Amino acid sequence: QVQLVESGGGLVQPGGSLRLSCAASGSIFSINAMGWYRQAPGKERELVARIISSSSTYADSVKGRFTISRDNAKNTVYLQMNSLKPEDTAVYYCNVVASYRTYWGQGTQVTVSS
């Protein structure tokens, strides 16, 4: 079993920045992918960014503003979010695929508002 602990959400003004972290622990033999999804009220959960090995992909809506990275030694994935917009407001979920099983974090709220 793999446990995911997220941190870093909060309230920020438009144009501001936040950094999300997600640490994986437990029975980790191999991590296939790490990423972040988000779900806004009344909307479906969507992929924000994902990193597989050293290759990363982003949703079009966050390209150029968000950066995903990982620390393999710590089994931790980060999401640096810059130039935040009100439409980025959502619950952000960490997603880890380990030994080809999918795990989700508990979610962290990000609110962008003046």
Side-chain angles (χ1 to χ4, degrees):
Q1 194 71 359
V2 174
Q3 294 80 42
L4 304 178
V5 177
E6 302 168 358
S7 61
L11 173 64
V12 64
Q13 293 186 343
S17 298
L18 283 174
R19 188 192 195 208
L20 305 183
S21 300
C22 173
S25 62
S27 301
I28 300 172
F29 298 103
S30 65
I31 293 181
N32 309 111
M34 306 183 85
W36 293 91
Y37 287 69
R38 67 185 180 188
Q39 187 166 19
K43 295 187 176 181
E44 294 187 355
R45 191 173 297 189
E46 63 174 358
L47 174 68
V48 176
R50 180 170 54 198
I51 186 165
I52 301 174
S53 296
S54 59
S55 178
S56 56
T57 58
Y58 297 90
D60 288 342
S61 59
V62 307
K63 283 181 181 177
R65 300 187 297 122
F66 292 10
T67 303
I68 190 170
S69 61
R70 62 188 286 184
D71 184 331
N72 293 329
K74 298 181 179 179
N75 288 327
T76 299
V77 62
Y78 305 95
L79 185 68
Q80 178 67 44
M81 304 185 293
N82 298 328
S83 302
L84 282 160
K85 304 175 181 180
E87 51 263 43
D88 294 318
T89 296
V91 178
Y92 284 69
Y93 295 91
C94 176
N95 172 275
V96 171
V97 179
S99 301
Y100 301 101
R101 288 188 173 184
T102 299
Y103 301 90
W104 292 94
Q106 78 281 5
T108 184
Q109 177 69 46
V110 171
T111 301
V112 185
S113 175
S114 56

